[in-house]
């Protein structure tokens, strides 16, 4: 749909942008770009049988090439910033993996800038978190046979809970339901008192 929308609206814009901004789960994507291209994509998606195609009220075309000026500004700001390794793994939305603080902080800074112009890999990040929980659960198991069988399982076999914290909670839990049903059952939402 994104490609169709870009070609459909090319007469209205010289270079219409309609790109995947968020990979939520296997059948869920969020597009971002020029409004005219997004409207065309929503129309194409609806005709193709999409369950939902709605415009979201956002302030910019985040996670697309339209954010390149902001990415340049962020790179400049990060150049003089001192980064320290976190005490727990922090996952990059560009790679779906923990930031590589064991390497150079320059690579971490580059990933931070890239997140403005590249899709958010929610699905891959949630899969990596479930795999890490399964691995942690397996490594603490006293039986090696239990360990090998749980780590090779495609479904979540860990008992480690997941907690989504923040206002308006439930978005990540909703994605988790579509990524890993067993992990979803162990996902709690904690919202601050209002």
């Amino acid at each position: 749909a994104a490609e169709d929308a870009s070609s459909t609206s090319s007469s209205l814009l010289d270079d219409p942008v309609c790109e995947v901004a968020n990979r939520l789960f296997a059948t869920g994507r969020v597009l971002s770009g020029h409004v005219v291209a997004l409207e065309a994509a929503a129309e194409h998606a609806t005709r193709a049988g999409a369950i939902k195609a709605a415009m979201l009220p956002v302030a910019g075309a985040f996670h697309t090439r339209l954010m390149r000026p902001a990415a340049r500004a962020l790179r400049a700001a990060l150049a003089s910033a001192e980064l320290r390794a976190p005490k727990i793994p922090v996952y990059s939305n560009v790679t779906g993996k923990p930031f590589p603080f064991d390497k150079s902080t320059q690579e971490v800074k580059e990933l931070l800038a890239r997140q403005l112009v590249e899709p958010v890999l929610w699905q891959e990040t949630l899969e990596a978190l479930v795999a890490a929980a399964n691995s942690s659960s397996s490594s603490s198991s006293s039986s090696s046979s239990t360990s090998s069988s749980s780590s090779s399982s495609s479904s979540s076999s860990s008992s480690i809970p997941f907690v989504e914290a923040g206002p308006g909670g439930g978005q990540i839990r909703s994605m988790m339901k579509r990524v890993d049903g067993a992990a979803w059952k162990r996902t709690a939402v904690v919202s601050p008192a209002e």
Side-chain angles (χ1 to χ4, degrees):
E3 292 170 6
D4 291 341
S6 288
S7 63
T8 299
S9 44
S10 63
S11 60
L12 301 172
L13 297 169
D14 289 339
D15 186 19
V17 172
C18 181
E19 298 173 3
V20 174
N22 287 270
R23 294 171 46 93
L24 304 175
F25 43 88
T27 60
R29 300 291 185 260
V30 174
L31 303 178
S32 187
H34 292 109
V35 172
V36 67
L38 297 173
E39 288 171 342
E43 183 180 320
H44 287 288
T46 301
R47 279 200 312 258
I51 294 171
K52 183 177 183 179
M55 300 295 284
L56 300 175
V58 296
F62 303 111
H63 310 294
T64 72
R65 59 188 148 132
L66 295 174
M67 297 302 293
R68 285 180 184 155
R72 283 191 293 274
L74 182 57
R75 276 187 189 92
L78 288 170
S80 62
E82 178 188 341
L83 300 181
R84 285 180 262 148
K87 297 192 184 301
I88 61 170
V90 175
Y91 285 68
S92 165
N93 63 12
V94 172
T95 64
K97 299 174 184 171
F99 279 103
F101 278 97
D102 57 331
K103 298 179 181 175
S104 105
T105 59
Q106 187 57 39
E107 187 174 348
V108 173
K109 290 177 181 183
E110 182 57 24
L111 286 170
L112 290 170
R114 284 175 49 196
Q115 73 183 3
L116 294 175
V117 296
E118 293 186 30
V120 177
L121 303 181
W122 281 114
Q123 177 180 347
E124 293 83 348
T125 301
L126 293 174
E127 289 169 345
L129 287 168
V130 170
N134 289 345
S135 175
S136 175
S137 178
S138 294
S139 65
S140 65
S141 173
S142 59
S143 166
S144 63
S145 63
T146 302
S147 174
S148 64
S149 65
S150 63
S151 63
S152 65
S153 172
S154 62
S155 176
S156 177
S157 60
S158 170
S159 61
I160 296 174
F162 294 93
V163 178
E164 175 182 355
Q171 296 289 332
I172 295 171
R173 186 171 191 269
S174 293
M175 288 183 277
M176 183 68 86
K177 183 176 185 177
R178 291 161 180 87
V179 171
D180 188 304
W184 168 73
K185 291 177 183 174
R186 300 189 322 273
T187 303
V189 177
V190 178
S191 296
E194 297 192 23

